[in-house]
Amino acid sequence: MTTPQKLDRILDCIGIGLGPFNLSIAALSDEEKTHLKTLFLERKSHFSWHPGLLLSDAKMQTSFLKDLVTAVDPTSPYSFLNYLVTQRKFYPFCASGQSVISRLEFSDYLGWTAHQLPNTQFGCDVKSVAFEQDHFRITTDKEVFNSQHLVIGTGMQPHVPECIQPFVSETCFHASELALRSPDLTGKRVAIIGGGQTGADIFQHTFDKQFGKPTHIEWISRRANIEQLDEGCFTDQYFMPDYVNQFYQLDSSNKQQEVSHQKLASDGVTSDCLQGIYQRLYHDKYVLRNPRWWKIKTHQSLISSRRVNGQYQLDIQHGLTKQVETINADIVILCTGFNHDLPQCLDELRPYIMTDEQDRILLSSDYCLQWKGMKNNSIYIVNSGTDNHGIAEPQLSLAAWRAAKIINHLAQDSVYELAEDDNIIDWGDLTFKPEKHLAAVSSL
Ligand SMILES: Cc1cc2nc3c(=O)[nH]c(=O)nc-3n(C[C@H](O)[C@H](O)[C@H](O)COP(=O)(O)OP(=O)(O)OC[C@H]3O[C@@H](n4cnc5c(N)ncnc54)[C@H](O)[C@@H]3O)c2cc1C
């Protein structure tokens, strides 16, 4: 490794990570408009969006209008509509009648934006961040940068249940690696663990023999059934600025209660995807009358696992009867979600970061991490979990609005108009003393 070169100028803000959320901030940070000098660093050599899950027939869960910029700046050159026009596919797109687009196309739009922005740098892995008097020093594998503020957009880390961690290998892996590994499933017994959207996408693509024809597929879900995403228009009110602002004001236990009631508003399978799967299964079982080569098991949790004679033995327990059953598989694909941990590059700052009694980070309504040097140096965090701002946080719906909010705070100016409309629903007066829980913490 070459010694990182030190750059002396201090930028206004450095973004770490270039997924859609920091990309939205980068796209809205035009220097002429914001008077901010920004730079966004990404470890990958070029833009890619969850490349291991970019399956050929996977669809978005959100509208293409909820792109990087449109909600706060519809005249931005980085809108999805401008992407369609400049790629010369606007009219064909309109004729396609799609209300929900493929992840492949959205990913292409994100990459198109990322590689034309002047404030992005790829192939730049941030190794550490230190605080020096009045600025952050950001050390990457190539250069050292200085910045007054930071915005962390490093995404989430794959979650692998403890009971199967020792067996993670070529044949037992997290779903986020599937398309990158492109395994040959021909003649194999495949176990898919996890009944959310990722489990459904992988079941569908495995059933469609995208990776060869397995002899058997077993799809295991802890949930009581294969559960549909709640896409109702009233449910969509949770993904609006007004609700997020109101939610933010709740105290921690009410927040937890609200989020657990809202699970299927963000964590279910789209109705289109479910119907597609159901119709395939119906055709296979009742029309073609194929011998059964797939099983869907709900209410089952993976509780332990072993590797015996080259195959996996997975113990699953029924949530109601508590009966334990063992299934055998050659390939195990873990659709077991993601964790929201702080990235390793922030380790040096950790002693200064304030947390609540459950060791969770605390964010201001403007997404600033509460840390001991925060007076003139902000650390913004996007996609930090649902604890502070609710279920919209890990989702694309409010990415542009959140980005604009962060930029206004960074610029100390109303660069973007954020007049938040009244919601259809009257949520009651959740307002109270502004930032009451943070006040309690900062008095420590
Ligand atoms: C398969 C999938 C499909 C989804 N589909 C939808 C959808 O349709 N609608 C919706 O609303 N939400 C969807 N989501 C949820 C959410 O929108 C995405 O997870 C989104 O990618 C989150 O963006 P992000 O910017 O936080 O993180 P990521 O997209 O994970 O990007 C983080 C980036 O940071 C980089 N990075 C990390 N550490 C460093 C470092 N030290 N130095 C430099 N770079 C670093 C990583 O390489 C990565 O590129 C989906 C999630 C998944 C997993």
Side-chain angles (χ1 to χ4, degrees):
M1 197 179 93
T2 49
T3 318
Q5 188 195 337
K6 173 133 173 118
L7 297 184
D8 287 332
R9 74 187 167 130
I10 298 182
L11 294 165
D12 293 312
C13 184
I14 282 209
I16 306 180
L18 262 172
F21 294 161
N22 260 359
L23 188 53
S24 173
I25 303 175
L28 289 166
S29 292
D30 176 30
E31 194 175 332
E32 262 183 44
K33 192 164 183 168
T34 62
H35 307 293
L36 293 170
K37 291 197 187 327
T38 61
L39 183 63
F40 290 78
L41 308 173
E42 166 59 46
R43 63 156 63 114
K44 289 184 268 186
S45 58
H46 62 278
F47 181 84
S48 60
W49 185 43
H50 295 303
L53 281 166
L54 215 52
L55 305 170
S56 60
D57 193 31
K59 297 278 190 301
M60 296 292 295
Q61 285 197 336
T62 32
S63 159
F64 57 82
L65 285 175
K66 292 173 168 179
D67 63 11
L68 299 168
V69 293
T70 298
V72 294
D73 187 2
T75 61
S76 162
Y78 306 116
S79 67
F80 183 75
L81 289 182
N82 195 35
Y83 158 82
L84 290 179
V85 172
T86 55
Q87 298 295 300
R88 302 191 182 283
K89 53 179 178 176
F90 178 79
Y91 291 113
F93 178 85
C94 293
S96 75
Q98 302 173 77
S99 57
V100 180
I101 64 169
S102 69
R103 264 191 234 145
L104 271 171
E105 188 165 35
F106 198 72
S107 172
D108 192 57
Y109 153 69
L110 296 174
W112 168 84
T113 305
H115 288 288
Q116 56 174 318
L117 288 173
N119 55 348
T120 57
Q121 191 164 322
F122 286 84
C124 207
D125 192 355
V126 176
K127 298 292 186 191
S128 64
V129 177
F131 186 63
E132 288 188 345
Q133 291 165 357
D134 60 353
H135 67 273
F136 296 103
R137 191 185 72 241
I138 297 103
T139 305
T140 75
D141 51 350
K142 297 195 179 72
E143 291 167 79
V144 176
F145 298 93
N146 298 309
S147 176
Q148 187 182 353
H149 307 290
L150 290 177
V151 51
I152 312 298
T154 46
M156 299 182 286
Q157 304 75 37
H159 171 73
V160 173
E162 220 176 292
C163 66
I164 200 154
Q165 280 173 11
F167 306 111
V168 169
S169 62
E170 288 274 291
T171 48
C172 173
F173 51 84
H174 192 268
S176 58
E177 297 167 19
L178 177 67
L180 300 174
R181 290 180 175 273
S182 200
D184 182 7
L185 304 182
T186 312
K188 305 268 170 47
R189 287 160 307 164
V190 179
I192 298 170
I193 314 293
Q197 181 70 56
T198 300
D201 287 334
I202 288 183
F203 179 80
Q204 181 199 313
H205 284 79
T206 308
F207 187 92
D208 288 348
K209 310 178 191 86
Q210 171 123 9
F211 303 98
K213 165 119 176 52
T215 48
H216 195 260
I217 314 173
E218 205 128 13
W219 183 15
I220 309 297
S221 177
R222 189 162 50 187
R223 303 174 195 216
N225 197 342
I226 300 298
E227 290 173 345
Q228 186 167 316
L229 184 71
D230 180 351
E231 295 166 283
C233 44
F234 283 98
T235 304
D236 214 26
Q237 308 292 307
Y238 298 143
F239 300 93
M240 296 191 186
D242 175 57
Y243 179 74
V244 173
N245 285 339
Q246 296 265 25
F247 177 93
Y248 179 79
Q249 312 297 352
L250 289 169
D251 64 28
S252 166
S253 65
N254 279 324
K255 282 185 181 181
Q256 276 180 36
Q257 198 180 315
E258 283 297 282
V259 165
S260 64
H261 285 157
Q262 296 164 355
K263 185 171 168 62
L264 287 176
S266 69
D267 188 14
V269 187
T270 58
S271 55
D272 264 9
C273 178
L274 286 186
Q275 197 145 27
I277 290 177
Y278 190 88
Q279 286 169 2
R280 283 168 173 83
L281 300 181
Y282 175 84
H283 189 71
D284 191 70
K285 184 171 158 83
Y286 296 106
V287 181
L288 300 178
R289 297 183 200 280
N290 280 330
R292 198 66 177 273
W293 62 287
W294 46 268
K295 259 187 200 164
I296 301 177
K297 293 184 170 202
T298 58
H299 253 314
Q300 301 279 2
S301 300
L302 178 68
I303 54 164
S304 55
S305 56
R306 291 168 299 286
R307 184 121 207 235
V308 180
N309 298 333
Q311 69 173 11
Y312 298 99
Q313 294 186 340
L314 308 173
D315 299 327
I316 54 175
Q317 183 172 42
H318 198 281
L320 300 177
T321 65
K322 305 297 172 206
Q323 275 183 15
V324 176
E325 172 191 354
T326 301
I327 60 168
N328 297 313
D330 305 305
I331 305 274
V332 182
I333 306 177
L334 301 163
C335 308
T336 40
F338 292 85
N339 296 327
H340 289 272
D341 300 330
L342 282 179
Q344 248 181 18
C345 60
L346 291 188
D347 280 359
E348 261 185 70
L349 296 180
R350 239 169 241 259
Y352 308 104
I353 294 174
M354 298 169 184
T355 51
D356 68 6
E357 62 287 348
Q358 291 181 52
D359 207 27
R360 296 175 306 195
I361 58 165
L362 296 157
L363 300 184
S364 73
S365 57
D366 296 299
Y367 300 88
C368 291
L369 181 66
Q370 306 300 292
W371 77 290
K372 289 179 184 152
M374 64 183 283
K375 202 159 160 255
N376 299 311
N377 303 88
S378 297
I379 307 173
Y380 302 88
I381 301 205
V382 291
N383 198 1
S384 67
T386 54
D387 302 330
N388 287 283
H389 291 86
I391 56 162
E393 187 55 17
Q395 233 247 359
L396 288 163
S397 289
L398 291 178
W401 172 79
R402 179 181 55 200
K405 197 159 179 162
I406 289 174
I407 291 168
N408 284 357
H409 194 256
L410 258 173
Q412 294 291 297
D413 193 8
S414 297
V415 180
Y416 291 101
E417 173 60 58
L418 288 178
E420 282 125 23
D421 300 333
D422 278 345
N423 222 315
I424 292 265
I425 294 182
D426 180 350
W427 299 107
D429 187 11
L430 312 181
T431 45
F432 40 61
K433 299 145 217 150
E435 323 253 316
K436 58 182 175 185
H437 41 293
L438 295 184
V441 171
S442 43
S443 66
L444 290 178

